[in-house]
Amino acid sequence: MANRSITFDAEPLLGQLNVLQKVQIPYAANQALKQLGFQLRGELARYMGDVFENPVPFTLRSPRYEVDGLTLRVRISTDGAKGQDPARYLYPVSTEDGGGGKPAYITRFTRAVRSMGVVDSSYYAIPYLQGRGVRVNAYGNMSPGQYQQVLAGLRAENGRTGGKRGASWRYFSVPDGRAAGAARGRGRQLKPGIYRAKTNELQMLFGYARKQPTVPGIFDFAGTVERKSGELLPSLLSKALADALR
């Protein structure tokens, strides 16, 4: 997502300035922009809470700002493990570049399954959240630990991560590009996806989509920054100028 820069003209905001006020404007404006950046972080976090369903704290903490002289830059964080950063995964749901549906962010799990050769780049792994075997966290998502557990199972010999045969879960994918011959044809009666099995129990953990999912543009980052700046900046600048003249 692109940075948003805030520019302004002091006199339209505050009215005609005298000579002394004009001398103090650069300092006062710099202080006001620092306060504005801090407040915009909170405003954006509240806005995320309104437009997203149960967003995780990592997302709510993602707004960032920097002040350089009389320029305030507001952005979404690009910090994240292995490219899983808020700027990347929020871009598809943003209204940036048009408000229509954009391709959903390709998750780290999907990239990992592809890199293992389990499926090719036409497959997208989607958690089957209503499945009995899926562990859902407080935010309604599959728990991070289960993602790792599934990957470990797919990497392991015979799909087992430990324990005696029959007592531990076996993880497998339908299809699995690593299988050969007859083994590749097994499970054809199952829907494409990732499963775990134990004795007489079979649980679907992920389904596969063959077309990249799209998501609606609901996050108006630029509009929120500009609107809230217009609401907050006049009073912040007026107070900063009054403090500078004391």
Side-chain angles (χ1 to χ4, degrees):
M1 294 178 66
N3 293 357
R4 303 303 297 184
S5 295
I6 306 300
T7 59
F8 65 92
D9 187 341
E11 289 200 320
L13 292 176
L14 301 179
Q16 189 171 2
L17 303 175
N18 61 39
V19 174
L20 183 57
Q21 289 173 323
K22 288 181 179 180
V23 170
Q24 293 297 330
I25 273 292
Y27 171 78
N30 176 267
Q31 297 303 302
L33 289 178
K34 290 177 181 177
Q35 286 296 313
L36 177 61
F38 178 79
Q39 292 192 27
L40 285 174
R41 286 191 67 188
E43 294 290 348
L44 284 166
R46 281 187 284 274
Y47 173 58
M48 289 174 175
D50 291 337
V51 298
F52 300 139
E53 184 176 348
N54 212 9
V56 300
F58 185 63
T59 298
L60 296 177
R61 293 194 300 266
S62 65
R64 299 282 191 272
Y65 73 94
E66 298 92 26
V67 176
D68 181 11
L70 300 182
T71 301
L72 166 64
R73 294 184 178 87
V74 185
R75 62 182 178 86
I76 298 297
S77 172
T78 56
D79 298 329
K82 297 182 179 179
Q84 193 85 351
D85 60 80
R88 288 175 187 265
Y89 64 69
L90 289 178
Y91 172 75
V93 296
S94 74
T95 58
E96 192 169 324
D97 299 327
K102 292 195 283 289
Y105 179 71
I106 301 176
T107 65
R108 188 172 15 160
F109 182 86
T110 290
R111 297 197 303 269
V113 173
R114 290 176 178 179
S115 69
M116 290 162 58
V118 175
V119 291
D120 62 38
S121 61
S122 67
Y123 286 81
Y124 301 84
I126 301 173
Y128 184 57
L129 296 177
Q130 60 268 46
R132 291 195 321 276
V134 174
R135 298 197 303 272
V136 178
N137 62 20
Y139 303 98
N141 305 314
M142 176 181 280
S143 69
Q146 188 163 31
Y147 278 103
Q148 297 306 313
Q149 190 176 52
V150 174
L151 289 176
L154 291 176
R155 291 189 183 103
E157 185 177 359
N158 297 322
R160 299 183 188 278
T161 56
K164 296 180 179 179
R165 183 179 181 85
S168 61
W169 291 103
R170 180 174 67 86
Y171 295 82
F172 64 94
S173 172
V174 178
D176 189 335
R178 302 170 300 177
R184 180 171 293 184
R186 291 174 187 168
R188 284 182 176 174
Q189 71 277 17
L190 297 175
K191 292 181 179 180
I194 298 173
Y195 296 81
R196 69 177 187 176
K198 181 169 63 174
T199 57
N200 295 323
E201 189 167 5
L202 177 68
Q203 297 176 348
M204 186 178 189
L205 304 178
F206 290 83
Y208 283 129
R210 296 301 302 276
K211 182 179 179 181
Q212 187 170 3
T214 60
V215 289
I218 59 173
F219 181 44
D220 187 8
F221 169 71
T224 301
V225 169
E226 291 173 7
R227 185 176 63 257
K228 288 298 180 180
S229 295
E231 294 173 5
L232 297 169
L233 186 55
S235 60
L236 292 173
L237 182 57
S238 180
K239 182 179 183 304
L241 183 57
D243 290 342
L245 290 171
R246 286 178 184 170

